[in-house]
Amino acid sequence: MRTSLFPLNTVKETPSEAEIISHQLMIRAGLIRKLASGLYTWLPLGLRVLRKVERIVRSEMEKAGGLEVLMPGLQPAELWQETGRWEQYGAELARLKDRHDRDFCLGPTHEEIITDLARHEIKSYKQLPITYFQIQTKFRDEIRPRFGVMRSREFIMKDAYSFHLTEESLHNTYEIMYATYTAIFTHFGLKFRAVIADSGSIGGAVSHEFHVLADSGEDAIAFSTQSSYAANVEKAEALMPKQSRPAATQTMTLIDTPNQHSIDEVCEFLSISATQCVKTLIVKGAEEGELVALLLRGDHELNEIKVEKIASIAVPLQFASDDEIQRACGCKAGSIGALGLTISIIADRSVSVMADFVCGANQDGKHYQGVNWERDLPLPTHIADLRTVVEGDESPDGEGTLTIARGIEVGHIFQLGTKYSEAMKAGVINEGGKNQIMIMGCYGIGISRVVAAAIEQNHDSKGIIWSPNLAPFQVAICPMNMHKSERLREATENLYQELLNAGIEVLFDDRKVRAGFMFSDMDLIGIPHLLVMGDKGLDSGTVEYKARTANESEDIAMTDILEFIKAKLR
RNA sequence: CGGAGCGUGGCGCAGCUUGGUAGCGCACUUGUCUGGGGGACAAGGGGUCGUAGGUUCAAAUCCUAUCGUUCCGACCA
């Protein structure tokens, strides 16, 4: 392709609306343009990348035995009413009426549609298992679309659905999909992690999320340094510390801590570390009017998801008001402590092994120092995992310690069970001649989000750095002042044709622009390999080669250039 | 849904407080020079100032409404 026929639409200025790097670069590099909030047009360059993502996904899904279908984006309300999601889904489901006043929605996902298809098309257990997939536009009326195509209202997704007679069959396909996803993300050339999405409530639905690792990712992921364990930070279990509680060495003393409320302030004031403090949070209990005290180590963070799973705590989690704290503890929020509380107490596991700690005294402006369990107050009977894991915690599977990285969720695989097939009566005739409800799995990949995530993970100050399999073009040819040298034009045209004939995706910059302008454009749009042609090179029979990620270029003999590039692309 | 900000050539913005000739940078067109990391100079084209009302001799500027958009929060996972 020639730039004279393929406008690059790059821009120098960073658009003010783009908050994250990938969004900025996608606009600057001319991949997308915004039409309205959460709606984007893919320009030719961006579409090439999008298609590459699709191609890899499609090819691997087919290898895994998936059958491609294409379902409508516009969906009748009746199917959604059958599963109850017409009511449940909320405003995110874009609803509309047709000219006959019938209800429809723009599909945010296709469980209902595929289940309807399956109940009509699959009659016998002999046709199972079967996996359908499609690559198609989804619509979710996000309250607040942001970050460009990262969270847009309209986006492209690969969604797949499998149907089974038995749980074993579902597990088998789930394993195949896990392997397929691993292959897909490996082909993308991205650093990724499969993350346990539901922390193994036994017998419950198994689910994995696939995250592309990037510092700017929205989700924090905890993964083991030694095993394949990986989980969303909020869901990773914080184990009971292995080391037992040290013996008490200090006597308990009441000390004045005027106007020291937060853990940071108290630590600063007393010159101690936050790990020596116990913070006490008062939340509402499940019973009306009841309060519960939660004890955490000063440097740890309360994990709302975990706390809400405790039966005696109100859902959703609510903190006590200042008045309620005053009544229950006799002090303001900054001075609460475990000593002498009459309300029930739940201690985090790590709190239970603390000794000589500092906590509030339930008197304004006072704390206790040198507090010890069982000597100064009884160890709470209710000890639970209340906190979010931190870097260095033991891995929940017992192997290694946890490292924390940030990730962007780009895929999920999920064992659905019979939620939809039951509601929609999607059954087959089994071996015994009886009707049996099918078991389902579903598997999604955010195609458009992958493009943004790839940029988020791989870029530098000059622009995008595409991995080889996602790059819109493999090679860029930039001739220097071609308009002034007929022999250079000839040589460049010849090289261009040679590369094209070899099946290489090459972008020939035949614009009459200055060298720096070309280089900046090619760096911005992230072409992996750059060939620079000039009269000087012609004299010495060489072409300059520079990788996108390299700082220096090298001269390659003109006669070797095709083989050289082919080797680079292998 | 609550709060806040912003709508001025294609893009990014100034002008608005204190009403009186529509401005800048980038991009675009033409020419000359330049020619290896987003060049210089010159000339040029392009704007009913989001929309609708109102106040005024006069509104981009003040007032009201409305639409769009962005950010924060809530909601949703």
Side-chain angles (χ1 to χ4, degrees):
Chain A
M1 188 53 70
R2 297 163 188 270
T3 51
S4 58
L5 304 173
F6 193 97
L8 293 178
N9 303 116
T10 53
V11 290
K12 198 154 51 173
E13 284 172 25
T14 302
S16 58
E17 75 196 32
E19 291 179 86
I20 59 170
I21 298 283
S22 61
H23 188 193
Q24 293 170 0
L25 288 177
M26 287 181 83
I27 293 171
R28 289 227 291 130
L31 268 46
I32 56 169
R33 288 288 183 261
K34 184 168 86 166
L35 175 66
S37 178
L39 302 175
Y40 291 86
T41 295
W42 288 83
L43 297 178
L45 190 68
L47 191 61
R48 285 183 73 98
V49 179
L50 194 71
R51 293 285 185 241
K52 296 225 163 168
V53 174
E54 282 182 13
R55 218 170 293 155
I56 290 168
V57 170
R58 180 174 283 119
S59 144
E60 290 301 317
M61 287 303 293
E62 283 174 349
K63 265 191 220 165
L67 303 169
E68 188 167 4
V69 293
L70 184 58
M71 295 181 269
L74 189 65
Q75 307 177 358
E78 285 77 13
L79 294 179
W80 287 76
Q81 284 156 352
E82 268 192 72
T83 60
R85 288 212 290 181
W86 184 258
E87 285 74 31
Q88 285 166 22
Y89 218 97
E92 206 168 281
L93 185 66
R95 296 152 218 259
L96 53 104
K97 286 180 188 293
D98 70 3
R99 61 166 68 189
H100 305 293
D101 209 34
R102 284 191 288 248
D103 286 310
F104 286 85
C105 64
L106 294 173
T109 174
H110 280 71
E111 280 84 7
E112 278 80 1
I113 315 307
I114 196 74
T115 307
D116 180 65
L117 180 77
R119 69 180 166 184
H120 289 114
E121 303 305 321
I122 304 172
K123 308 290 187 203
S124 161
Y125 75 96
K126 290 180 189 168
Q127 292 168 276
L128 298 182
I130 190 165
T131 302
Y132 293 110
F133 77 96
Q134 66 171 348
I135 293 173
Q136 194 239 23
T137 297
K138 305 284 187 215
F139 195 94
R140 290 183 192 168
D141 198 357
E142 293 279 350
I143 290 178
R144 194 139 87 81
R146 53 184 138 170
F147 307 143
V149 297
M150 196 75 91
R151 186 180 306 162
S152 51
R153 292 196 288 180
E154 195 179 293
F155 56 98
I156 297 172
M157 186 164 156
K158 185 283 300 178
D159 49 328
Y161 308 88
S162 65
F163 294 86
H164 312 269
L165 194 66
T166 64
E167 287 284 343
E168 292 69 37
S169 170
L170 171 62
H171 291 156
N172 187 37
T173 296
Y174 189 84
E175 288 304 317
I176 291 170
M177 281 302 148
Y178 188 100
T180 298
Y181 272 41
T182 302
I184 287 170
F185 288 104
T186 303
H187 279 302
F188 288 161
L190 300 177
K191 293 186 279 292
F192 70 98
R193 277 275 172 167
V195 169
I196 300 164
D198 196 64
S199 60
S201 52
I202 303 143
V206 179
S207 171
H208 284 86
E209 291 171 355
F210 284 76
H211 286 254
V212 166
L213 300 182
D215 293 338
S216 56
E218 280 195 278
D219 300 303
I221 302 160
F223 58 93
S224 168
T225 50
Q226 279 169 37
S227 71
S228 64
Y229 177 87
N232 197 302
V233 146
E234 298 189 323
K235 289 174 178 163
E237 185 181 359
L239 298 179
M240 179 62 103
K242 279 194 184 133
Q243 63 278 32
S244 53
R245 176 152 46 90
T249 62
Q250 302 174 0
T251 52
M252 186 174 86
T253 45
L254 183 66
I255 44 174
D256 284 324
T257 50
N259 298 319
Q260 313 299 315
H261 303 298
S262 69
I263 291 288
D264 285 348
E265 287 168 355
V266 172
C267 290
E268 171 96 352
F269 187 75
L270 298 174
S271 304
I272 54 167
S273 139
T275 58
Q276 276 307 106
C277 292
V278 169
K279 64 178 160 191
T280 308
L281 304 165
I282 310 293
V283 300
K284 299 198 175 170
E287 304 261 327
E288 184 68 32
E290 240 182 57
L291 296 177
V292 178
L294 304 176
L295 304 186
L296 283 166
R297 210 170 76 185
D299 58 320
H300 286 154
E301 246 180 69
L302 183 72
N303 183 307
E304 293 192 21
I305 294 171
K306 290 177 179 177
V307 172
E308 286 180 353
K309 284 184 181 157
I310 297 172
S312 60
I313 306 287
V315 177
L317 183 69
Q318 277 180 285
F319 286 94
S321 67
D322 290 348
D323 281 355
E324 287 170 317
I325 291 173
Q326 189 71 41
R327 253 176 284 138
C329 312
C331 65
K332 295 200 179 72
S335 304
I336 316 169
L339 270 84
L341 282 185
T342 52
I343 57 177
S344 57
I345 296 176
I346 304 174
D348 182 65
R349 287 167 173 169
S350 52
V351 168
S352 70
V353 297
M354 290 172 72
D356 297 330
F357 58 83
V358 169
C359 69
N362 296 320
Q363 299 172 46
D364 286 333
K366 289 183 191 300
H367 278 75
Y368 282 115
Q369 197 164 25
V371 185
N372 282 278
W373 296 118
E374 289 174 333
R375 185 190 71 184
D376 306 319
L377 75 168
L379 191 63
T381 51
H382 195 160
I383 292 170
D385 177 18
L386 301 179
R387 69 180 177 92
T388 301
V389 293
V390 294
E391 184 114 15
D393 277 345
E394 273 178 67
S395 176
D397 67 353
E399 293 178 56
T401 56
L402 293 179
T403 301
I404 294 184
R406 300 201 73 83
I408 299 163
E409 187 192 341
V410 285
H412 80 247
I413 56 176
F414 193 72
Q415 299 186 13
L416 273 181
T418 54
K419 181 177 174 187
Y420 298 94
S421 48
E422 187 90 59
M424 298 180 68
K425 301 187 177 56
V428 289
I429 304 300
N430 65 17
E431 226 170 335
K434 295 256 170 61
N435 200 328
Q436 187 179 331
I437 295 296
M438 289 183 281
I439 301 169
M440 295 171 61
C442 81
Y443 321 90
I445 291 179
I447 300 284
S448 35
R449 184 180 267 199
V450 164
V451 178
I455 296 169
E456 209 61 47
Q457 184 181 87
N458 302 106
H459 64 265
D460 63 14
S461 60
K462 292 183 287 191
I464 300 168
I465 301 173
W466 292 115
S467 59
N469 290 337
L470 299 184
F473 295 94
Q474 303 301 323
V475 178
I477 305 178
C478 294
M480 300 292 97
N481 299 314
M482 188 171 69
H483 65 283
K484 279 193 172 175
S485 166
E486 195 50 40
R487 63 168 189 148
L488 179 59
R489 174 179 293 279
E490 248 171 64
T492 310
E493 289 281 356
N494 286 343
L495 177 60
Y496 173 56
Q497 284 304 332
E498 208 181 340
L499 292 174
L500 279 185
N501 293 341
I504 295 166
E505 293 173 299
V506 49
L507 184 64
F508 172 17
D509 201 343
D510 59 347
R511 295 175 296 181
K512 191 190 164 198
V513 294
R514 299 168 71 88
F517 200 93
M518 283 184 186
F519 296 151
S520 298
D521 261 358
M522 294 307 150
D523 283 343
L524 177 60
I525 67 176
I527 308 299
H529 307 285
L530 177 67
L531 294 176
V532 183
M533 304 272 290
D535 277 309
K536 271 177 277 176
L538 288 187
D539 291 340
S540 56
T542 59
V543 178
E544 238 176 88
Y545 166 80
K546 183 181 161 303
R548 172 64 177 81
T549 49
N551 289 319
E552 300 295 326
S553 59
E554 47 187 311
D555 289 334
I556 309 298
M558 189 70 121
T559 48
D560 299 341
I561 196 66
L562 182 60
E563 282 313 309
F564 178 84
I565 286 293
K566 276 185 178 169
K568 288 284 177 192
L569 297 181
R570 264 196 284 275

